[in-house]
Amino acid sequence: MKRTPITDRLIFLEPDDMRLFKACAGLMVQGARKLVIDANMGPETAAFLQTEQPQAAIISHYHLDHGVWGTVAQDHTEADVFIPSGEETYLTDLDFFVNQTAGPYGLAEAWRRFSVEDCGYRELKHYTPYDPEHAFADQGLAIVCLDTGGHSPSHRSFYFPEDKVLFSGDMGVDRFGPWYGWADCDLRRLVEAILTLRSLPVDVLLTSHGGMLTSAITEAWDLALRRIVERENYVAQRLEKGRLPEAIVAEGIFFPQKSQVPEPMQSFLYMWDTAMYDHHRKMLEEGGLVRFFPELRSLKP
Ligand SMILES: [Fe+2]
């Protein structure tokens, strides 16, 4: 793993390998106490936590790559594990997690197996739910916890106003763009959240899957927004031409060339693109994104 000091109190943590939802980039905060956010460093997680012994382990949202390390923290540290309020049951009840995610798409068993056997999902037993207004004030520095739901119901981002550093989490500033591949994602809230983060004064943007940005940050947010708008246009144009939903999904909203991917991942990719198609179709039925966000019209191509 790679540790990049951002300030004297913030260290950006990047695992060596983030493929297949087995890890994500995180942040360590060394204030009055030590806390870590999304410290899923893949195979190095246990050794990392054992050495660092943080007092607080904060999960930004329940998705596998961001959530499964909570139980590792409980095995190897005395840390309080903080879960975003509203997502507790996803992390504490495997049946609920599976039924709320892959359940509606008929892939519950394959997804359960993948989550447990490949990604190490275990039900979390002890935790503290936290709200967006939670300040983690005992850390001795200002951490503004932001409600950036939409990618997941209670996704959180973390802003350090004194240093103008933002840990955005999974907001889509990366080579893949924003993701909303479960039924519990919310496209409108996601765009709202991106616009909120885009408006903050930020010198250093730390992302879960797109590394660190120190320049052209507004442009990076615009690109994330543009990708959503382009996907909406793509769906709208094909629907106008009379293409069937299955054909649009097969061609790909987020994942093209799915047919070359081995199972069970191929089925998962179809499932996620189906959900993303459904979110776009619902938004189009409500008048499209620009109806709610007229500022998207002025995004430069
Ligand atoms: Fe996520």
Side-chain angles (χ1 to χ4, degrees):
M1 63 179 282
K2 184 174 153 197
R3 301 165 187 240
T4 308
I6 307 299
T7 68
D8 56 350
R9 292 178 298 194
L10 301 178
I11 299 172
F12 188 41
L13 310 168
E14 292 175 282
D16 294 333
D17 184 355
M18 288 202 255
R19 282 174 302 166
L20 295 171
F21 320 103
K22 300 218 171 101
C24 64
L27 186 66
M28 183 153 67
V29 185
Q30 290 176 301
R33 299 192 306 161
K34 189 186 284 183
L35 69 80
V36 288
I37 303 171
D38 282 7
N40 185 6
M41 300 292 113
E44 293 184 74
T45 306
F48 166 75
L49 292 169
Q50 185 124 39
T51 307
E52 293 297 338
Q53 290 299 322
Q55 279 89 28
I58 304 170
I59 291 173
S60 70
H61 66 298
Y62 79 84
H63 292 165
L64 283 174
D65 46 342
H66 296 257
V68 295
W69 67 286
T71 49
V72 183
Q74 282 185 340
D75 288 348
H76 295 278
T77 74
E78 300 291 315
D80 288 329
V81 177
F82 288 87
I83 304 181
S85 52
E87 293 190 2
E88 296 92 334
T89 325
Y90 289 96
L91 289 154
T92 57
D93 182 337
L94 176 61
D95 288 336
F96 179 90
F97 167 77
V98 169
N99 291 333
Q100 291 296 307
T101 51
Y105 304 93
L107 286 169
E109 282 322 302
W111 181 244
R112 178 192 298 270
R113 217 173 305 121
F114 177 78
S115 301
V116 173
E117 292 170 18
D118 293 333
C119 297
Y121 180 106
R122 285 183 290 146
E123 293 175 343
L124 205 52
K125 300 294 177 205
H126 311 285
Y127 61 91
T128 306
Y130 70 101
D131 291 317
E133 52 271 20
H134 192 104
F136 296 102
D138 57 328
Q139 301 303 319
L141 79 168
I143 304 178
V144 179
C145 172
L146 298 154
D147 173 15
T148 44
H151 170 77
S152 77
S154 307
H155 182 280
R156 311 276 197 242
S157 302
F158 300 86
Y159 182 48
F160 302 84
E162 292 159 31
D163 300 312
K164 295 200 179 92
V165 175
L166 173 66
F167 179 78
S168 61
D170 262 1
M171 296 302 291
V173 174
D174 52 52
R175 66 194 172 93
F176 314 104
W179 186 93
Y180 29 97
W182 292 129
D184 68 8
C185 301
D186 186 318
L187 196 45
R188 195 168 152 187
R189 286 184 66 213
L190 175 62
V191 172
E192 250 163 30
I194 293 176
L195 290 169
T196 300
L197 297 182
R198 184 185 179 279
S199 71
L200 297 171
V202 172
D203 290 339
V204 183
L205 174 63
L206 307 172
T207 74
S208 292
H209 301 285
M212 170 172 83
L213 278 77
T214 54
S215 62
I217 290 169
T218 306
E219 289 81 353
W221 287 121
D222 284 351
L223 175 60
L225 290 167
R226 209 156 58 234
R227 286 172 132 165
I228 300 175
V229 171
E230 282 165 5
R231 290 175 197 153
E232 180 178 275
N233 293 340
Y234 168 88
V235 171
Q237 285 160 8
R238 272 153 187 77
L239 285 172
E240 274 166 31
K241 285 183 192 158
R243 298 291 298 272
L244 293 171
E246 306 83 72
I248 300 172
V249 168
E251 232 175 282
I253 313 287
F254 190 90
F255 306 98
Q257 294 157 353
K258 293 185 276 288
S259 57
Q260 294 155 26
V261 176
E263 290 292 2
M265 193 50 66
Q266 185 182 133
S267 294
F268 298 158
L269 298 180
Y270 272 96
M271 165 173 73
W272 294 323
D273 257 357
T274 301
M276 289 179 78
Y277 166 82
D278 288 341
H279 287 299
H280 279 298
R281 198 198 47 195
K282 182 167 157 264
M283 177 55 73
L284 285 165
E285 283 165 3
E286 293 174 29
L289 282 163
V290 290
R291 183 178 156 221
F292 300 100
F293 306 102
E295 59 266 60
L296 295 180
R297 276 186 215 280
S298 56
L299 281 175
K300 292 187 194 78

